[in-house]
Amino acid sequence: MQMNPRLSGLRCIRCDSLWPPADYPEGCPSCLEAGHPASLECRYELSADPAMPLPVLDPVTLGEGATPCLAAPALAQAEGVGRLWLKCESANPTGSHKDRMAAQLVSRARLAGATSVAAASSGNAGVSLAAYCAAARLEADIAITRDCPPLQREAMERFGARLRAFEDSLSRWPYIADLCRNHGAFAGTNYLNPPVGTHAYGVEGYKPIAQEIFDACGVPTDIVVPVARGDLFWGIFLGWRHLLQTGRIDRLPRMHAVEPYARLSRARASGDARKNWEGVTEQYSIAGSTCTLQSLEVLSRSGGSPVEISDAAAAQARQRLERMGFAAELSSAAALAAVSPLSRSGLLDAESSVVLLLTSDGRRG
Amino acid sequence: MQMNPRLSGLRCIRCDSLWPPADYPEGCPSCLEAGHPASLECRYELSADPAMPLPVLDPVTLGEGATPCLAAPALAQAEGVGRLWLKCESANPTGSHKDRMAAQLVSRARLAGATSVAAASSGNAGVSLAAYCAAARLEADIAITRDCPPLQREAMERFGARLRAFEDSLSRWPYIADLCRNHGAFAGTNYLNPPVGTHAYGVEGYKPIAQEIFDACGVPTDIVVPVARGDLFWGIFLGWRHLLQTGRIDRLPRMHAVEPYARLSRARASGDARKNWEGVTEQYSIAGSTCTLQSLEVLSRSGGSPVEISDAAAAQARQRLERMGFAAELSSAAALAAVSPLSRSGLLDAESSVVLLLTSDGRRG
């Protein structure tokens, strides 16, 4: 395990300033100072190596990645699109895409000399970080909400994490901020409000998804991703951009963001991702009142759209997937539910080739 | 999806008689008649194709197989063996190795013109068959026991299976026998008592595990597998034997069977696998009072041993795995618990290279 010697720095996605390789859990220091939290993205020296560059080489692993990307011709026909694939991230070790981020982030924490990782999560991220911290022999402090599903909580505890419960989602962040700023913990999630994307080194872990989709089905026209604060959304985009920059593809797929109620569409309309937009949803993994600049950037740079999916529509989509043999948590099934509204608004049609991200099977819901 | 044209017949593992390609859910007809249920194994015409031959080509898939095989050097050191790997079957779509069998078996059911699959299972096999039947648009009738964990039951129902609950394990088999013999259902599990291995075409689905282990770590000296009626145990053995017969390896690994109480050791001592050996265990997935001839054959042909692992030892091993970031059901963790007694009996030492089969993460336990 070592840091990638080709990692040359980080660049702000908002102000373009460059920063030397280091840990920036709060994103771009300049933009934070200006009151606009903004993600940093990793920069690497050019190389003839065709592999997707990642910050940590030979990271701690539990076997994450290389998940199935399955053609679903019957769904494509039913939805009136040309081709459709399901990218099944539940095949990851703890059952969600988060394992890809945890592998990089926890490895970096260990290389940086941290002894603990602190995170605010009542779901897949918390379980994943707990497992990877166990694998890396780091301590994990997870701030959960009181309504955290018992099986999620139990899974974190089995992996040895310390849990602390809070009344609601936003109240967890000051606790994590204190652990990270004052007690030497490494940040496993955002803790700012308004929020910023998770540590850039962690988000890089999602880039191989683009390569895996490309290997399975070329460049689709459209990719549909459930989005809360957009680490996965942004990470997959970075992967496609790498393929474009290295000349292996000649266009980017459009990337659409599925959300349970209007956050990104309002942020896009106002040009400001920093507000709170309350809503009620059972789509646990993409709930919350905030969004992030990085999600807006994916939409604008890829030409995609936000799509609001009701819990009822997501539940119906989940049942359709189950009757095809696929378990999916509600927020994952929402990706399927999004195909129809995207078609109605003219963004998808019989020429479209579409990949749906099934982020988790909801095994601990 | 089609039957493999190279599949030339089936041979009895007990009497060596040859049978034409067809469905033999009760194993060798001659041996059954003689009161000795015995598995059949598939025979294929020779081919220059290096791929592991399977009965159904392009089967129904949910993305099974190609699971991680992870080196665990810290565990190897702690256990005093040379090298140690964890083969993580929980990465399969419904969370266990059973998906590999279900893909072949359910595909065959569909090609054979069946409209339903019937199976006795309160656990991973039932969930897996339910999911693959959904994928293949077949009906699934699953006979469960009244103590079936609620999450297993719910998973089967979500995939659209019809469930029927019985007082105990053995009482399920006559119901399944009736569905298969008199109502046209395709057998998804054994229903004989004394039992036989599951349909030979299904068990073939486990052969690629040998190839995957070989690709990840060459030929280990020893493989440790949790065993109830031994489909997985036998299927992995068939895979290694294929590698041997095609000249890609020059020796077989020893294969050891982990069980919660003495069944195979008693069967081996008496030379008869047909008795009932009662025992009480929480190692749900390898419980039951029966064993099979195919398991005895793996032991004798590979030179392996049966190992009894108590629930307490399995629970301790599970906690060790959890503190390394691996979730494992009790019967999977028993594979780790088996290393120490195998060492004490002189079968493993510092020269050994050992693969442990982690069959499931117990996500619905």
Side-chain angles (χ1 to χ4, degrees), chain A residues 61-63 68 70 74 88 90-91 93-94 131-132 134-135 137 151 157-160 318 322-327 361 363, chain B residues 61-63 68 70 74 88 90-91 93-94 131-132 134-135 137 151 157-160 318 322-327 361 363:
Chain A
T61 182
L62 294 171
L70 301 174
C88 303
S90 57
T94 75
Y132 280 81
R137 295 167 189 262
L151 290 175
E157 286 173 338
R158 281 179 170 273
F159 291 131
R318 181 168 62 176
E322 285 166 349
R323 294 308 162 94
M324 294 170 60
F326 294 95
D361 58 12
R363 64 184 65 168
Chain B
T61 182
L62 294 170
L70 301 175
C88 303
S90 57
T94 75
Y132 281 80
R137 295 169 189 262
L151 290 175
E157 286 172 337
R158 281 180 171 275
F159 291 131
R318 181 168 62 179
E322 285 165 351
R323 294 307 163 91
M324 296 170 60
F326 294 96
D361 58 12
R363 63 184 65 168

Side-chain angles (χ1 to χ4, degrees), chain A residues 18-30:
Chain A
L18 285 166
W19 301 87
D23 298 302
Y24 303 92
E26 303 181 1
C28 174
S30 301

Side-chain angles (χ1 to χ4, degrees), chain A residues 20 22-23 56 62 71 87 99-100 102 136 154 196 198 214 219 223 303 309 324 327 339 343:
Chain A
D23 298 302
V56 182
L62 294 171
K87 180 67 173 162
D99 293 333
R100 298 176 183 265
E154 189 193 327
V196 67
T198 300
F214 179 60
V219 186
I223 300 180
I309 297 300
M324 294 170 60
V339 174
S343 294

Side-chain angles (χ1 to χ4, degrees), chain A residues 272-295:
Chain A
D272 191 342
R274 296 173 300 167
K275 294 201 181 68
N276 271 261
W277 296 279
E278 300 289 344
V280 175
T281 181
E282 309 234 320
Q283 297 174 63
Y284 195 76
S285 295
I286 54 173
S289 58
T290 60
C291 63
T292 54
L293 181 62
Q294 65 187 7
S295 297

